[in-house]
Amino acid sequence: MKKYNAPVLRQSAKRWLIFFAFVMLLSFGLLVYRLVDLQVVRHDQLRGWASTNIVRTNVLEARRGNILDRRGNLLATSLFVKTVCADPSIIGSYQLQIAHAIAPLLEMNEAVLREKLTPKLFENDQGQMRTNRYVVLRRKVPRERWEMIRAAMEGMDLGENENGVSRRQKQFLRRVRKAVFADEIEDQLRVYHGKRLASHVMGFVSGSDHKGREGIEAVLDSKLTGTAGWRVTEADAKNRELVWARRQFVAPRNGLNVILTL
């Protein structure tokens, strides 16, 4: 039976103890360095990135004021409408099904819509190849029409038995159904109930800013326009607002109504 010298064993144990102590000190040193790097050196940079990812500032548009005649009859009013968009990068090969389902609701040619839904490659400012992820399909879509479009996307036939596919494929098909969406910022549509009645006096609005260009619409534009509000809040991973984390809310002030002597 082999015998071990006690001093030799103690010396070996001491070397192993020193080795493990060195490893532990090195590990703690690296951990402390990483913490200092994240919490002190790069604190402002990382905090800015985090705020960009979770903090949302939503502009709340003010509704343009009405124009009425001297008896209170409505001559012009504004309705909030949607801008319908799509993300071609997640549509895959389902352009035909989507175009067939929503082209009549968008009042668009099916072939033209299918072309808009087709992913296209482009080179960004950094020289990197990217896929278009935001395409405007139709502007000035009434809310009721948008609800019909959303229902059509949810119920459209993708040509597959979704009950018999894998979980990953189900998630992909769910994303495809969300590929057509409405822009967060609503637009406005000016409606003239009298059609061409007193149109030379009323004037008109145009452009994405919904500003008056001629007639009363232009002369009293500052009164009719109102003041936009905003909401600063945080969002979760699914981009849903966390109401309890709302930081600031300023309600919009709608435009004033104008009563004519007509």
Side-chain angles (χ1 to χ4, degrees):
M1 185 175 180
K2 189 176 180 180
K3 296 182 178 180
Y4 294 94
N5 192 337
V8 174
L9 290 176
R10 286 196 296 269
Q11 189 68 22
S12 177
K14 185 178 180 180
R15 285 198 298 267
W16 278 108
L17 184 61
I18 293 174
F19 172 75
F20 283 118
F22 174 77
V23 171
M24 293 294 291
L25 286 174
L26 180 62
S27 300
F28 278 112
L30 292 175
L31 180 61
V32 170
Y33 167 77
R34 185 61 174 166
L35 289 174
V36 171
D37 179 52
L38 294 176
Q39 298 292 334
V40 180
V41 178
R42 302 174 59 195
H43 176 266
D44 293 338
Q45 180 186 18
L46 296 175
R47 184 175 183 179
W49 287 351
S51 296
T52 301
N53 290 332
I54 65 173
V55 177
R56 303 285 186 272
T57 301
N58 299 319
V59 177
L60 307 175
E61 293 294 334
R63 181 177 172 277
R64 189 175 180 85
N66 298 328
I67 299 179
L68 306 96
D69 66 12
R70 65 179 182 179
R71 295 182 178 177
N73 296 315
L74 195 61
L75 298 177
T77 188
S78 288
L79 304 176
F80 281 110
V81 290
K82 301 289 187 178
T83 298
V84 180
C85 312
D87 182 353
S89 67
I90 62 176
I91 289 176
S93 59
Y94 294 103
Q95 296 94 351
L96 181 62
Q97 291 89 334
I98 295 176
H100 181 72
I102 67 174
L105 297 173
L106 289 173
E107 299 178 344
M108 292 180 63
N109 180 276
E110 194 170 316
V112 173
L113 179 57
R114 188 166 64 248
E115 177 64 23
K116 282 179 171 285
L117 295 172
T118 302
K120 296 179 178 61
L121 292 175
F122 66 95
E123 186 176 335
N124 62 14
D125 297 336
Q126 289 75 38
Q128 300 171 325
M129 298 305 296
R130 289 288 184 266
T131 304
N132 54 331
R133 304 196 61 181
Y134 182 90
V135 176
V136 175
L137 303 180
R138 186 91 177 177
R139 300 184 187 275
K140 309 287 186 182
V141 176
R143 288 176 173 177
E144 298 79 10
R145 182 66 60 86
W146 162 242
E147 292 299 328
M148 295 170 64
I149 293 171
R150 186 162 62 176
M153 289 292 297
E154 290 293 334
M156 70 177 171
D157 182 13
L158 295 177
E160 297 187 31
N161 181 11
E162 298 185 31
N163 294 325
V165 299
S166 65
R167 181 179 178 184
R168 184 174 182 180
Q169 184 67 7
K170 283 184 179 180
Q171 291 176 344
F172 171 71
L173 294 177
R174 194 177 299 118
R175 291 181 64 201
V176 170
R177 295 185 186 280
K178 300 292 184 182
V180 175
F181 56 93
D183 197 297
E184 291 183 0
I185 301 178
E186 289 191 313
D187 199 356
Q188 294 187 60
L189 176 65
R190 198 64 166 171
V191 179
Y192 295 96
H193 292 274
K195 304 298 181 183
R196 298 179 61 87
L197 178 64
S199 58
H200 60 292
V201 176
M202 302 278 291
F204 61 93
V205 301
S206 64
S208 58
D209 55 359
H210 204 61
K211 293 291 185 181
R213 306 302 178 190
E214 297 289 345
I216 294 295
E217 296 277 22
V219 173
L220 297 178
D221 183 72
S222 61
K223 306 297 183 183
L224 289 163
T225 298
T227 305
W230 64 88
R231 180 175 62 240
V232 180
T233 186
E234 294 184 12
D236 61 11
K238 295 184 178 180
N239 204 30
R240 296 174 300 192
E241 180 188 359
L242 301 175
V243 179
W244 59 267
R246 185 176 291 177
R247 302 184 180 184
Q248 191 176 25
F249 175 77
V250 177
R253 181 177 61 82
N254 293 333
L256 301 176
N257 295 332
V258 173
I259 301 177
L260 306 179
T261 57
L262 297 178

